[in-house]
Amino acid sequence: MTVDRTELRIATRKSALALWQAEHVAARLRAAHPGLAVVLVPMSTRGDELLDRPLAQVGGKGLFLKELEHALLEDRADLAVHSLKDVPARLEPGFALGAILARADAADALVSNRHDSLDALPHGARVGSSSLRRQALLRARRPDLVLLDLRGNVNTRLARLDAGEHDAIVLACAGLQRLGLGGRIRERLTPPDWLPGVGQGAIAIELREGDDATAALLAPLHDADTALCCGAERALNRILAGDCTVPIGAYAQRADGRMRLHGMVGDAAGGRVLRGHAEGAADAAEALAAEVAEQLLAQGAGRLLGH
């Protein structure tokens, strides 16, 4: 396909992690297409600005996308870079995912200055996280903990931990590692016992639907294996009609032409966690997602999801 673009404009949030991800995509594009000019268009989103309430109360993770999508619609940018875990299961009409990059570490991380693991935290320890999924998993494993909402970018959350407001916090391993802060990880909370967010660890690139020129430039960045696995996780989320107001976790792995998908639905207030898993052909993501969803719904997930 002939590509007629000589410049690409990347819409991105202004946080350090978002800028790292956008710069990473820009570097990959420049390497794949020598001579291509790639510029960043940083902007603030409502999700970045509304930090005084839990995300589930102010509109969900889609708040991190809206301003960037407006920039695409108004031709102020050609693509937008997101953490895939922030991308809703169903995109707004007129948009598409042009590429999903190879996944980094999908696990959550326990970060603490005094304690080496979740099990080592003292009775009644204060743990910060605004994720309902993480809160459900924390309550299921340690019902004695005091859970505190914690919003803001990675450095803001670490600063509050360091100021003594929390005994520990839970963040994504990938975000810490990308910012050169992997040394802050005290314990990896690993799947399938501890399930990450849907698509966690993967970077997604959004573009206008039908923009074939930009799509062609993104093709070398796309990782088919990550897309298959994250596609299964996103299919489960879509079937369950999940959003950030309910705790849903998922993790898919692919090997030797097979895929195993784990899923969970939780109750952040009570600590109840429902789990399901299925294994099958790697190209049968929708069928696997439907099977795991059926298992979860049979256990009563519909009530937790508000169906």
Side-chain angles (χ1 to χ4, degrees):
M1 178 184 295
T2 300
V3 176
D4 56 7
R5 286 196 181 278
T6 58
E7 179 184 81
L8 276 181
R9 299 160 297 169
I10 301 178
T12 175
R13 294 161 59 195
K14 292 180 177 178
S15 74
L17 180 56
L19 289 170
W20 185 98
Q21 293 178 162
E23 290 282 9
H24 177 68
V25 169
R28 291 281 306 276
L29 283 165
R30 293 183 190 114
H33 308 288
L36 178 69
V38 185
V39 296
L40 268 54
V41 184
M43 54 189 64
S44 181
T45 72
R46 291 281 284 166
D48 296 308
E49 295 163 359
L50 296 174
L51 299 176
D52 58 338
R53 285 167 286 168
L55 198 58
Q57 295 180 10
V58 295
K61 293 181 178 180
L63 289 179
F64 292 127
L65 276 71
K66 296 299 183 185
E67 281 79 0
L68 276 60
E69 289 179 337
H70 288 159
L72 293 177
L73 284 179
E74 296 166 4
D75 197 28
R76 291 182 283 119
D78 305 299
L79 54 91
V81 173
H82 311 293
S83 294
L84 183 58
K85 67 182 178 63
D86 293 336
V87 178
R90 286 184 172 86
L91 293 176
E92 293 292 329
F95 299 102
L97 293 183
I100 296 174
L101 278 61
R103 194 176 209 169
D105 191 340
D108 276 338
L110 183 85
V111 181
S112 176
N113 292 327
R114 292 183 293 167
H115 308 287
D116 289 333
S117 69
L118 181 56
D119 292 336
L121 291 175
H123 184 91
R126 302 159 300 159
V127 181
S129 173
S130 60
S131 161
L132 296 180
R133 171 188 58 81
R134 289 169 178 159
Q135 290 178 7
L137 289 166
L138 285 165
R139 286 197 194 283
R141 184 143 147 200
R142 289 288 307 269
D144 62 291
L145 297 175
V146 176
L147 305 187
L148 305 173
D149 279 318
L150 179 63
R151 294 277 318 281
N153 62 43
V154 171
N155 286 318
T156 297
R157 298 185 197 197
L158 289 172
R160 291 180 63 179
L161 170 70
D162 294 342
E165 296 180 30
H166 306 84
D167 297 299
I169 61 177
V170 181
L171 299 170
C173 284
L176 290 164
Q177 291 161 351
R178 285 167 177 158
L179 292 173
L181 297 169
R184 298 296 304 260
I185 298 172
R186 297 299 287 268
E187 180 186 19
R188 287 182 71 252
L189 303 170
T190 55
D193 294 332
W194 183 286
L195 288 180
V198 171
Q200 185 163 306
I203 295 172
I205 307 177
E206 186 180 21
L207 74 169
R208 291 180 293 270
E209 203 166 34
D211 185 352
D212 295 337
T214 299
L217 290 170
L218 295 177
L221 279 62
H222 186 68
D223 185 80
D225 186 70
T226 297
L228 273 173
C229 291
C230 291
E233 297 168 18
R234 287 172 59 78
L236 174 62
N237 198 30
R238 187 175 64 251
I239 293 168
L240 293 173
D243 57 30
C244 92
T245 63
V246 292
I248 292 179
Y251 185 63
Q253 287 178 297
R254 179 172 174 256
D256 300 323
R258 306 281 291 175
M259 180 183 291
R260 176 175 284 269
L261 173 64
H262 293 267
M264 62 149 281
V265 174
D267 175 7
R272 185 182 179 205
V273 174
L274 310 177
R275 297 176 180 271
H277 71 272
E279 184 174 342
D283 58 358
E286 289 285 342
L288 289 175
E291 184 177 344
V292 174
E294 186 176 349
Q295 293 173 19
L296 293 169
L297 292 170
Q299 296 174 55
R303 290 189 295 276
L304 297 182
L305 295 165
H307 294 178

